[in-house]
Amino acid sequence: MPKVFVTRRIPEPGLAILRRAAEVKVWEEELPPPRDVLLNEVEDCDALVPLLTDRVDDELLDRAPHLKVVANYAVGYDNIDVPACTARGVLVTNTPSVLTETTADLAFALILAAGRRLVEADKFLRAGRWQTWGPTLLLGQDVYGATLGLVGLGRIGAAVARRARGFNMQVIYHSRHRQEGLEKELGAAYASFDELLHRSDFISIHVPLTAATRHLFNADAFARMKPTAVLVNTARGPIVDEAALYAALKTGRIAAAGLDVMDPEPPRRDNPLLTLDNVILLPHIGSASVATRTRMATMAAENAAAALRGELPPNLVNREVWDRRRA
Ligand code: DGY
């Protein structure tokens, strides 16, 4: 029987699929397995199901001579050195599509909550500070009719654009490639990055973390945004330079931010963003609905099980490994 190591307890339907295909070992703790434990565990593994908290790199692959597949329990796979896996003939899979709408819901929730200062208002009331209705109490930014700038128009970006139509927002987007088909369907207009920064009332980030997107939102970008602008990030923390964001929020260079992702995660206790009222900080819960996390588990498990059976996994990231095997 092949062996699978799962780096955290994923929902049971996923584990059930894995158990039919392999001998399954699950790391039962809430925190990720320490690095040395992970390196020991992969030594006799045929499949690994990691989370975005588990780094899969040369060091790990060197310790895993039998590894055939790394089935990430996430759509993003910046925790995995894909070229290193490809070089060793290890298949890499992810969980696309299933979390699109759930993550788009959260991005839109942050647009509304950061724009209208919901968390700040809730804290204000609970602290007993609400004395009377006031004409200038907790004024925020209108979402209805505002301009929404989407950085990235992949599956999640497009799903946010669909929600924005219900709020009569003007949607502009920037991405590496223009998406003329989608532009028509979504009523979205292409903009250069600079134009998007200048024109947007709300900016929502939907690009993967790559060398090109690391610190895409830096002091220079904040300097070009409206002072009333709201930034939302549900993608990956390092796309935003947090020191520059702190300065922009503190000085009123931009109005507010909503972050579901940070750099690092969790943030250090002395991260100055934790001291600001005009930023909402969430613990990376974009895909955290019962249905979506369950479907992610079955998807990751189906990917791993297919690879162990020698079949093409449904959500293969490095197709070239498969093609090479077939050649
Ligand atoms: C992902 O899948 O990449 C999300 O960040 C977590 O679900």
Side-chain angles (χ1 to χ4, degrees), residues 158-175:
V160 173
R162 286 188 193 98
R163 283 157 180 72
R165 293 182 79 166
F167 283 73
N168 199 28
M169 295 181 95
Q170 191 180 345
V171 179
I172 57 177
Y173 78 98
H174 178 74
S175 63

Side-chain angles (χ1 to χ4, degrees), residues 5-324:
F5 183 58
V6 187
T7 65
R8 229 69 52 77
R9 176 154 285 278
I10 60 172
E12 185 52 36
L15 293 175
I17 293 170
L18 288 174
R19 282 193 209 102
R20 288 197 287 275
E23 189 182 307
V24 180
K25 187 161 181 190
V26 178
W27 178 254
E28 296 285 356
E29 309 292 321
E30 198 180 323
L31 294 179
R35 185 70 180 169
D36 57 326
V37 172
L38 180 60
L39 294 181
N40 282 337
E41 289 294 349
V42 294
E43 277 179 350
D44 60 351
C45 262
D46 299 278
L48 176 65
V49 179
L51 273 55
L52 47 84
T53 46
D54 309 306
R55 194 160 33 85
V56 177
D57 56 9
D58 272 319
E59 183 191 29
L60 182 144
L61 294 167
D62 283 345
R63 295 279 293 270
H66 312 294
L67 197 62
K68 293 175 189 60
V69 57
V70 177
N72 217 30
Y73 181 71
V75 63
Y77 45 85
D78 47 285
N79 57 312
I80 300 172
D81 183 341
V82 177
C85 290
T86 304
R88 288 168 164 84
V90 174
L91 300 169
V92 177
T93 65
N94 68 342
T95 61
S97 305
V98 61
L99 46 73
T100 300
E101 302 300 340
T102 306
T103 307
D105 280 350
L106 191 88
F108 217 84
L110 281 173
I111 287 170
L112 288 163
R116 295 297 305 275
R117 303 172 64 180
L118 298 194
V119 174
E120 197 184 340
D122 177 270
K123 283 189 198 151
F124 174 86
L125 181 148
R126 286 172 198 263
R129 291 170 57 204
W130 186 26
Q131 312 224 16
T132 183
W133 187 91
T136 58
L137 181 64
L138 288 161
L139 303 186
Q141 311 299 326
D142 275 322
V143 174
Y144 188 85
T147 296
L148 172 65
L150 296 169
V151 179
L153 197 64
R155 283 180 286 258
I156 299 173
V160 173
R162 286 188 193 98
R163 283 157 180 72
R165 293 182 79 166
F167 283 73
N168 199 28
M169 295 181 95
Q170 191 180 345
V171 179
I172 57 177
Y173 78 98
H174 178 74
S175 63
R176 268 184 311 160
H177 308 291
R178 260 190 89 156
Q179 315 238 29
E180 286 174 31
L182 263 184
E183 283 176 24
K184 283 201 190 72
E185 182 204 321
L186 301 171
Y190 182 81
S192 68
F193 185 54
D194 192 53
E195 189 187 351
L196 180 138
L197 293 174
H198 278 107
R199 285 181 51 199
S200 300
D201 299 306
F202 291 84
I203 294 181
S204 191
I205 302 176
H206 301 287
V207 283
L209 174 64
T210 63
T213 62
R214 184 175 292 275
H215 285 195
L216 181 65
F217 281 83
N218 52 22
D220 182 50
F222 294 126
R224 289 183 276 155
M225 286 166 63
K226 293 183 182 181
T228 49
V230 176
L231 178 71
V232 166
N233 188 9
T234 53
R236 285 293 183 264
I239 298 169
V240 174
D241 175 348
E242 286 184 1
L245 176 64
Y246 171 76
L249 290 168
K250 178 83 183 163
T251 59
R253 178 80 280 296
I254 68 169
L259 308 180
D260 182 44
V261 287
M262 295 191 74
D263 179 25
E265 291 180 359
R268 281 188 274 273
R269 297 302 296 268
D270 63 352
N271 185 323
L273 285 173
L274 299 173
T275 65
L276 296 180
D277 281 333
N278 56 346
V279 59
I280 297 174
L281 303 170
L282 302 180
H284 204 146
I285 55 167
S287 62
S289 74
V290 176
T292 292
R293 288 285 168 84
T294 303
R295 185 67 191 112
M296 283 166 67
T298 57
M299 252 178 133
E302 279 157 7
N303 285 327
L308 291 174
R309 288 193 301 264
E311 294 164 12
L312 175 67
N315 309 106
L316 185 57
V317 169
N318 52 354
R319 172 85 204 198
E320 55 272 47
V321 173
W322 182 259
D323 292 342
R324 220 160 55 210

